[in-house]
Amino acid sequence: DPQIAQRRVANTALNQKKCFRKTMIKALRPMGLRTCKSIGLVGARTARRGFSASDCESTAAAMDKATPTEIMKKALQAHGKDIAISFSGAEDVVLIEHAKETGLPFRVFSLDTGRLHPETYRLFDAVEKHYNIKIEYTFPESSEVENLVRNKGMFSFFEDGHKECCTIRKVGPLRKQLGTLKAWITGVRKDQSVTRVDLPIVQVDGVFKGQGGGTLIKWNPLANQSSTDVWNTIATKSMPIS
């Protein structure tokens, strides 16, 4: 019977596929499930359901040796319009360069605290023109700034520390912006502090929340780069800097 023969062929192919999968997983198990994910055995499943907090550890392990541009591409592909690059000037311009190199659309946001130097504003303008982008500026709540200045003056941070001022001018606006996203991209690196030596390339943000108060994913494409690497890239690519 031709139909029975076709079913036998199909069943044989399916069994061979299952056997191959089991063999590969068994061979790679001593190296951990992360290795299986890194070669794509379960990657399709992740792609179908979207990137989530449970994917951070395996992705960080699989891409630990990847280039910043490769990491940037993965981040942009994983989150689309729900991810944005945090840009505050200087070294962060490298993030925009890597995003441009992916060929994918990307968003950039920056905090305007109201106390930035003129040079910083000129850099923002130069970056927008150089990369043909529009930076999404986020501002502190005017009423909070007004109350602070009226009660404590323009330079209260010289007298009672930076905490109150930074909370109003930086932390508040950042929290507001991140609350509209599912993920963000930072320029944080391992070599910036002894507390960052174990910094992964992607992680769950332990401080801020994302859309709807949900989990926020934090990508660090420059985690394994040194300061020298970053400034060499800036010089080689002739990027605008302050």
Side-chain angles (χ1 to χ4, degrees):
D1 188 322
Q3 291 183 342
I4 294 177
Q6 288 178 354
R7 283 198 295 269
R8 285 177 178 174
V9 171
N11 288 336
T12 298
L14 180 61
N15 290 333
Q16 289 176 340
K17 183 177 180 180
K18 289 181 178 179
C19 182
F20 173 76
R21 180 182 176 84
K22 289 180 179 179
T23 301
M24 288 296 293
I25 292 177
K26 183 178 180 181
L28 291 170
R29 187 165 287 143
M31 293 180 280
L33 182 59
R34 297 174 189 168
T35 306
C36 300
K37 291 185 178 181
S38 71
I39 64 170
L41 290 179
V42 296
R45 187 186 310 163
T46 300
R48 286 195 299 270
R49 61 177 170 76
F51 196 94
S52 67
S54 61
D55 298 311
C56 287
E57 185 177 356
S58 59
T59 301
M63 301 194 71
D64 189 57
K65 303 300 181 182
T67 66
T69 300
E70 291 170 337
I71 298 169
M72 180 68 73
K73 184 175 182 179
K74 175 67 176 179
L76 296 176
Q77 289 176 330
H79 305 284
K81 62 181 179 57
D82 294 317
I83 189 172
I85 297 169
S86 174
F87 176 65
S88 59
E91 298 179 3
D92 287 342
V93 72
V94 173
L95 293 173
I96 300 177
E97 179 68 24
H98 289 308
K100 177 188 174 184
E101 290 174 351
T102 69
L104 298 171
F106 61 91
R107 296 169 58 190
V108 180
F109 76 89
S110 187
L111 308 181
D112 186 341
T113 65
R115 300 301 298 264
L116 301 179
H117 296 292
E119 292 81 6
T120 302
Y121 290 113
R122 284 195 285 269
L123 174 61
F124 286 162
D125 181 64
V127 167
E128 287 186 323
K129 291 177 179 176
H130 184 81
Y131 292 102
N132 192 28
I133 62 173
K134 288 297 182 182
I135 298 173
E136 301 171 24
Y137 298 103
T138 300
F139 302 87
E141 294 295 332
S142 59
S143 60
E144 294 183 2
V145 175
E146 184 178 275
N147 289 334
L148 174 65
V149 174
R150 283 184 175 181
N151 293 325
K152 295 191 174 182
M154 293 293 293
F155 303 100
S156 62
F157 50 86
F158 285 137
E159 300 172 1
D160 55 13
H162 292 258
K163 185 175 181 180
E164 184 177 16
C165 181
C166 285
T167 298
I168 292 173
R169 293 183 182 273
K170 293 183 178 180
V171 179
L174 179 58
R175 179 176 287 111
K176 179 175 65 176
Q177 177 70 23
L178 295 179
T180 69
L181 304 171
K182 291 183 179 179
W184 64 311
I185 301 169
T186 81
V188 179
R189 305 191 313 272
K190 292 178 180 178
D191 74 343
Q192 291 173 326
S193 170
V194 294
T195 62
R196 294 175 177 171
V197 292
D198 295 320
L199 179 73
I201 63 166
V202 59
Q203 62 189 142
V204 174
D205 195 309
V207 178
F208 297 102
K209 296 295 183 181
Q211 288 180 4
T215 299
L216 182 70
I217 305 299
K218 182 179 180 182
W219 290 81
N220 310 304
L222 305 181
N224 295 321
Q225 296 278 289
S226 67
S227 177
T228 300
D229 293 331
V230 170
W231 283 100
N232 282 343
T233 301
I234 291 174
T236 301
K237 302 288 186 176
S238 299
M239 302 178 205
I241 58 173
S242 58

